[in-house]
Amino acid sequence: PCWAEEFGERRMTATEFLPLPVVDGRTLQYEDFLKTYALPRQPCLITNLGENWPALAKWTSAMYFLDHQGVNKNWEVSCSAGPAGAEAEVETTVGEALRTIGANPSEPFYLNAWAYVRGGSEGLAEDFSVPKFFERAPDFLSSNVVLGNSSIDMRWLYIGSKGTASPTHVDTNLSSAWLWCASGRKEWICASGEDYDLLTAGTGSAAHGYRSEDSDTDSDPLPDFFDPQLFAKWPKTRQARLYRGVQEKGDVCFNPSRCVHAVRNLEACVSLTHNFVDATNLADVALDATRSLREEILPMCREMRPKSFLKHLSRSLGISRAELSQALLDLPSLLSDENVEEAVSCAAGGAEPGAEREACRAMLHAELRRRLAKVKPAFEEAAAELKERLAAGLLSSKK
């Protein structure tokens, strides 16, 4: 369908930001969320979510997490020290990072992307509940290692002082994300997900969620959304729909798949981010997985023996070789009709039973089928080659 341009059409000579849409989470209907935000890849702020969560009262400073018995304080993390734009990466532990923030609250220090589930601090999930709009996916999507293993590896906490920031980037695996602000205030600049190709052209691996310093040396950087001369330095941003808004305590910022964005902390902040894969973004995530298979996984598999390949990749992903092997062998059937139907049904479950749920199911089914038609053949071809190489290699190793 041609989604309504409710929040502004792409303009050829824009030199100002559009307001980031704000919607009340208490009255937002799931069908409207799908139709207006998730499927059109429209970022927004959703207010009044988590009003009854314990996290709203508890997650006010680094000290709560430092005193929490369920936090693994020995988990190693990368932090940013220094003001935005001049920060240095610091390798430390969760405990040391929390102590640094607590002892020097006015110094710019950012514990960013703390993978609290992967890092053994999953008990913190008792302090909140996932809103009904997000993460409505079957296990074969949320636990799939090629799609990012979102149930374990895409759940993060961000704790930072005033003036810290996350520069312009695209979220990993082209997944969607919801970020809830437990304390403080954040300023966001988010692009429509429909302008992803425009903004990421020529940026190399940064277009796929890799950090700028890890991107190709001959590639262009992503536009610095907070640069005062943004529209002059990056003329292509004049053609994009760029939204600017401030997230208050208790608000969620929804970043859909393919949304290029940047954020900075206007005050000391504690926030929660979950990225996810579901029926609203499965085609985008499958497209990124196809790229990863062709450019990263298959070349590695061709160069290494199957057992060595599985050993290396399982260590990198933090899962067993048996689990990884089964996931890769099952990959060609990931986008089967049966699985797509299950993904759609799971996502539609966010709506009330009856007419609204059936309307959501029909909308999701039609849009996912349309988008997958462009992606599925290439994904299945790459997945089939990987399966063939692994199966043949593992069989020959047993002889």
Side-chain angles (χ1 to χ4, degrees):
C2 180
W3 301 106
E5 297 287 357
E6 182 176 350
F7 301 107
E9 297 181 2
R10 181 182 293 178
R11 301 157 297 171
M12 298 305 296
T13 58
T15 56
E16 60 184 19
F17 296 101
L18 297 163
L20 186 59
V22 180
V23 60
D24 191 338
R26 291 174 298 191
T27 58
L28 178 62
Q29 298 298 308
Y30 187 67
E31 183 179 1
D32 292 334
F33 170 73
L34 293 178
K35 187 183 302 182
T36 309
Y37 303 105
L39 291 175
R41 304 185 181 100
Q42 171 64 50
C44 67
L45 291 171
I46 306 177
T47 63
N48 299 309
L49 291 180
E51 294 175 299
N52 299 317
W53 295 351
L56 194 64
K58 294 179 177 179
W59 292 12
T60 58
S61 73
M63 300 312 296
Y64 171 73
F65 302 94
L66 192 59
D67 294 336
H68 197 293
Q69 295 299 310
V71 169
N72 176 10
K73 301 169 185 71
N74 295 318
W75 181 254
E76 295 182 353
V77 290
S78 294
C79 301
S80 299
E87 61 271 80
E89 186 172 317
V90 177
E91 301 292 334
T92 184
T93 63
V94 167
E96 286 302 314
L98 293 171
R99 278 186 278 272
T100 298
I101 295 170
N104 305 285
S106 62
E107 293 296 319
F109 193 90
Y110 204 9
L111 172 53
N112 48 6
W114 165 21
Y116 74 94
V117 175
R118 170 61 69 183
S121 300
E122 62 274 13
L124 291 170
E126 296 177 0
D127 290 343
F128 64 90
S129 301
V130 176
K132 69 176 183 179
F133 308 107
F134 317 117
E135 302 184 45
R136 307 200 67 88
D139 289 342
F140 71 81
L141 291 184
S142 62
S143 63
N144 189 285
V145 292
V146 176
L147 304 187
N149 198 14
S150 60
S151 62
I152 294 178
D153 291 322
M154 292 190 187
R155 298 183 175 185
W156 296 290
L157 280 166
Y158 291 76
I159 304 174
S161 54
K162 178 181 178 179
T164 52
S166 294
T168 309
H169 65 282
V170 181
D171 280 353
T172 182
N173 298 80
L174 292 186
S175 57
S176 303
W178 63 276
L179 184 144
W180 179 69
C181 187
S183 62
R185 300 168 70 239
K186 291 175 173 284
E187 182 179 17
W188 290 84
I189 297 179
C190 306
S192 165
E194 297 297 305
D195 293 333
Y196 167 83
D197 291 331
L198 168 71
L199 294 169
T200 61
T203 62
S205 56
H208 310 297
Y210 293 90
R211 297 182 302 178
S212 297
E213 56 266 34
D214 296 332
S215 190
D216 316 79
T217 55
D218 58 348
S219 299
D220 296 327
L222 288 168
D224 180 356
F225 281 174
F226 284 112
D227 189 316
Q229 302 302 315
L230 170 67
F231 296 107
K233 291 183 179 179
W234 286 273
K236 62 184 178 182
T237 59
R238 301 174 191 171
Q239 302 173 44
R241 287 151 290 192
L242 297 181
Y243 302 91
R244 194 168 195 164
V246 174
Q247 180 184 23
E248 305 287 348
K249 174 180 178 179
D251 293 350
V252 161
C253 185
F254 169 64
N255 287 320
S257 176
R258 301 165 65 95
C259 172
V260 183
H261 58 279
V263 58
R264 59 186 177 187
N265 294 326
L266 301 178
E267 301 173 358
C269 286
V270 176
S271 57
L272 168 75
T273 294
H274 281 197
N275 283 64
F276 60 93
V277 181
D278 67 4
T280 67
N281 62 17
L282 179 56
D284 292 334
V285 177
L287 177 64
D288 185 73
T290 305
R291 174 204 58 80
S292 180
L293 286 167
R294 287 173 167 174
E295 299 178 8
E296 301 166 356
I297 297 177
L298 274 170
M300 188 190 309
C301 185
R302 292 172 188 141
E303 293 176 3
M304 304 172 70
R305 293 182 177 181
K307 284 189 175 181
S308 298
F309 165 76
L310 290 171
K311 181 178 180 180
H312 174 80
L313 195 57
S314 65
R315 285 180 176 177
S316 174
L317 296 173
I319 62 174
S320 70
R321 272 181 278 179
E323 183 182 0
L324 174 62
S325 178
Q326 192 60 55
L328 296 181
L329 292 173
D330 291 343
L331 205 57
S333 63
L334 180 68
L335 302 180
S336 67
D337 290 346
E338 181 181 356
N339 282 352
V340 167
E341 290 300 326
E342 185 176 350
V344 166
S345 294
C346 194
E352 293 296 322
E356 184 191 1
R357 183 170 296 183
E358 289 307 311
C360 288
R361 188 193 308 276
M363 178 169 46
L364 286 163
H365 183 273
E367 188 62 14
L368 181 55
R369 288 288 185 185
R370 183 183 71 82
R371 294 180 183 183
L372 279 179
K374 304 175 183 179
V375 176
K376 185 176 178 180
F379 175 85
E380 291 185 339
E381 179 183 3
E385 180 184 344
L386 180 62
K387 177 180 180 178
E388 182 179 353
R389 288 182 175 276
L390 283 177
L394 292 173
L395 181 62
S396 64
S397 68
K398 293 179 180 180
K399 294 180 178 179

